[in-house]
Amino acid sequence: MNLTCFQLQAEGRLSEITFDELSAGWRRGEGQYWVDVEEYQNDELIAWLEQFQISDAIIKLSGERIQATRVIPLANEVLFQIPLYWHGDLTCEHQMVFLCKKNLCITFYPSSMGKRMRERASLIQEIQVQESSIPSLVYTLLVALSSQIMQSYRELRSRIRVIEDRMDKDMDDVEIEEILDQMEKVRIIDGVVSEQSACYDILGLIDTPALTFAGSGYFKNIISITHNLDRDIDRLGSRLETLRQRYAMNQQDRTNRRLAMLTVISAIFLPMTLFTGIYGMNFEYMPELKFHYAYPIALGFMATLAISLIWFFKHKGWFK
């Protein structure tokens, strides 16, 4: 199990410290701390959490690796779990757990997320936390995580705009796989944001000694941002559905044009087929068979008929 420990300074900055320093300071009731846990086994995590005087129920829940959003507020601890979407990742199976006590925030997630979270942590150290408190720290972490989704949303929006422009210039320049790929990404992000939005709505009502967001003006900001992002992602989904319908209509129009062309060709050759069918019958008495110029006249008549029909259909615009 790997630990990265931070102390929240009075001016709102995060400074990295050792776990021994964190443990000693927290037991004295001094300072605000954040412990980032990665590459852990459930048994060792449960044993490690016991030193922080955490209730058995929360410890048991912390050791359960379930893919579900949840918020469990107790008198002295608050545990909540939210899904994550990392830029460029096509799965939403990653979950991050927050365990908050008075003056202490513990986060843990699968080992595959460790490197990415450390990158976020290095950025968080440059962020000015609004207040030197655990609620403000949690808010800052959630904002940092949301920035990943915001970045992905902006890139998705740009890609969709490019597809729309290409389709406006040439409907045949866009393949359905491009549209479906973007729809899958929007579906995944929409699921993550919807779960986060529901979680933040509940967190905004929490008022306990361990964690309180009730009446917090800055936490209302992330609730509002998440709700707006949820609506924006829904709009992206609607735009992609419109693109898919346009693609389907274009394919149907292309099929109709091909059927119309086949219909015209059939109409052109149908009289000639009838003509040759009549003179292909095996009757002994057919006067035209004795006529010296019957064959070239028949060919000329069929050619004239075909040319006349081609001119007629072209004049009527059937070839457009």
Side-chain angles (χ1 to χ4, degrees), residues 40-271:
Y40 62 89
Q41 299 296 325
N42 289 357
D43 293 341
E44 64 176 339
L45 176 67
I46 290 174
W48 179 79
L49 288 174
E50 291 176 351
Q51 64 185 302
F52 293 106
Q53 302 171 3
I54 298 172
S55 64
D56 293 340
I58 292 296
I59 290 179
K60 180 179 178 181
L61 291 171
S62 300
E64 295 177 354
R65 298 195 183 189
I66 62 173
Q67 301 295 322
T69 302
R70 52 183 176 174
V71 180
I72 299 97
L74 298 181
N76 298 317
E77 304 103 6
V78 173
L79 181 141
F80 66 93
Q81 178 173 318
I82 59 174
L84 301 180
Y85 179 87
W86 292 97
H87 177 61
D89 196 340
L90 293 180
T91 68
C92 59
E93 298 177 354
H94 305 302
Q95 301 279 330
M96 185 170 184
V97 181
F98 286 74
L99 175 54
C100 301
K101 284 183 66 72
K102 187 177 182 180
N103 302 337
L104 178 65
C105 174
I106 303 173
T107 57
F108 40 94
Y109 39 83
S111 58
S112 60
M113 307 301 294
K115 180 179 179 181
R116 295 174 178 178
M117 192 58 202
R118 283 197 298 272
E119 294 172 355
R120 298 307 307 164
S122 65
L123 295 177
I124 290 170
Q125 293 181 69
E126 304 300 325
I127 297 175
Q128 182 76 35
V129 179
Q130 296 189 18
E131 301 174 0
S132 183
S133 65
I134 294 301
S136 183
L137 171 62
V138 171
Y139 166 77
T140 305
L141 293 174
L142 294 178
V143 170
L145 293 173
S146 297
S147 67
Q148 285 285 323
I149 298 180
M150 291 294 296
Q151 179 182 356
S152 298
Y153 162 75
R154 287 190 292 266
E155 293 192 6
L156 272 175
R157 184 178 58 187
S158 298
R159 292 194 196 104
I160 293 171
R161 186 180 297 117
V162 169
I163 294 176
E164 289 173 335
D165 293 340
R166 287 169 54 200
M167 189 170 284
D168 289 339
K169 293 178 182 179
D170 183 5
M171 293 289 292
D172 296 331
D173 188 40
V174 176
E175 298 294 334
I176 187 61
E177 288 76 13
E178 298 179 66
I179 300 174
L180 295 178
D181 180 59
Q182 302 307 315
M183 292 184 75
E184 176 65 11
K185 293 179 180 178
V186 168
R187 183 191 65 80
I188 293 173
I189 296 180
D190 182 56
V192 172
V193 173
S194 297
E195 291 290 325
Q196 289 184 353
S197 179
C199 180
Y200 297 161
D201 286 339
I202 299 174
L203 288 176
L205 303 175
I206 289 180
D207 185 7
T208 68
L211 186 70
T212 177
F213 289 123
S216 173
Y218 59 80
F219 195 77
K220 291 180 180 178
N221 291 335
I222 193 171
I223 294 177
S224 177
I225 290 171
T226 307
H227 285 177
N228 291 335
L229 181 59
D230 196 13
R231 287 193 293 269
D232 291 339
I233 293 174
D234 288 341
R235 293 191 187 99
L236 283 186
S238 299
R239 288 168 62 181
L240 284 170
E241 183 61 33
T242 300
L243 289 179
R244 185 167 69 171
Q245 291 177 0
R246 288 179 60 188
Y247 180 87
M249 292 176 62
N250 178 61
Q251 293 298 107
Q252 182 64 42
D253 184 60
R254 179 189 297 180
T255 301
N256 292 339
R257 289 197 303 269
R258 290 172 178 172
L259 290 175
M261 180 62 67
L262 292 174
T263 302
V264 169
I265 294 174
S266 300
I268 292 173
F269 286 96
L270 184 61

